[in-house]
Amino acid sequence: MFLLQVTYLKESDPTAAIAIIIVLGVLVSILAITNIAKHGIGGSGFTSVGSKAPRAHFSRGVLRRAAAAYGLDQNQAHLLEQVFRKAQVTNPEMVLANAEVLDRHFKRGIRDIESTSDTEAEADENKALLFSIRATVDSVLGSGKKIVSTRKLPDGQAAVLTGPKGETYPIRIMSAKGDRLLADAPRSSIGAPLRFARGTKLGVSFYSKTSQGYRFDTKVQGMTESPRGPILEMSHSDRVAPLPNRSHRRKEVSIACYFALVQILQRTQGKKTVKETIVDDRKSMGTIVDVSAGGCAIKSSAAVRTGEYLKIEFDDDRGKTLAAFGRIVRTNKTGGIGGIMHIQFLKTTRKALNAIYAAVYGYDPD
């Protein structure tokens, strides 16, 4: 139809046809210039069938808003930006809310810090900052769904059993399925399995993956034998009570250590009171059975009473000896000689604290 019209105009009025062609050329030029301005040279304002959507890019503003939502300060947000930018993270909110994905990025971030830092001190400082981000995020994620029934306990859950006389024993839940709660039988300090009469009242405490502590009361329903050893059968409870939140995530470990008593002496020097720390030359052996950034538990046949101060030495994954000072806040007897000392850290080196965080979050070298 258009060609017919142009032919007709040419035959009857050539000047009018030329004018129409010029107008159409101007319109095409305007559309082309507008398209280039919006999409660049070679770009198109139209999406063809089957074409891919534009790839999302890292947004500093989005990351800063996500960091602020978790209460991260300026230094933490800056380091988080470096880690996420290198990993090309386009959805920081999703990554921060997923502990498993976050740990993968942070583990790579630790390796990058170790390989790019000019000095060991700089690496330790940046790793400490990265671990502080992880701990802050962990505290926010820890306020999730609570456990209210023992029927929800996962297989393999570590717990501490409190006997009728207040003695404590580490145990592991084997199964929460069925009408009874099954756990491996507690053992004495020499490894002999302990047996409780049916109906004996017991207390059980444990910590979930979010570091939330819980406690419940139960009764012994019986003891059975299995190829793995005796099994303690307990009644279920739908009254699982939360314990006060821990400020740090804790992890079960088995790390050989030495510890020595520490005396803190005060003396007056002019108008000032000066504290002097004296470490005993005699050392005792023990095993760190759980650890967090705030403290640890040491099992030893030479357990020390509550209130004493200790210097603890242990090796990191590279064989370097690290040290921490702490105070014994509680000692649990495990029967026989010794017990488990629960220690609050009072002073740790940055390197030691980084090693503890690496153990707690599983950032040790593969």
Side-chain angles (χ1 to χ4, degrees), residues 79 82-83 86 108-120 122-124 126-127:
L79 181 58
Q82 291 180 320
V83 174
K86 187 165 186 178
R108 285 194 292 268
I110 290 292
R111 291 197 295 265
D112 290 339
I113 288 172
E114 291 176 339
S115 62
T116 60
S117 298
D118 294 330
T119 64
E120 188 174 1
E122 180 185 345
D124 287 337
N126 287 328
K127 283 193 287 186

Side-chain angles (χ1 to χ4, degrees), residues 241-305:
L243 297 174
N245 283 330
R246 279 178 167 167
S247 9
H248 305 283
R249 177 183 285 197
R250 188 172 294 260
K251 183 179 181 181
E252 285 189 339
V253 294
S254 181
I255 303 173
C257 69
Y258 290 95
F259 60 90
L261 283 170
V262 175
Q263 286 184 306
I264 300 178
L265 304 178
Q266 293 185 356
R267 56 188 177 85
T268 304
Q269 186 175 357
K271 295 182 179 181
K272 296 182 179 179
T273 300
V274 180
K275 291 184 179 180
E276 184 178 359
T277 301
I278 302 176
V279 180
D280 199 313
D281 293 333
R282 295 167 296 182
K283 296 182 180 180
S284 300
M285 291 185 63
T287 302
I288 300 175
V289 293
D290 67 57
V291 67
S292 76
C296 68
I298 298 178
K299 185 176 183 180
S300 175
S301 58
V304 183
R305 65 181 182 271

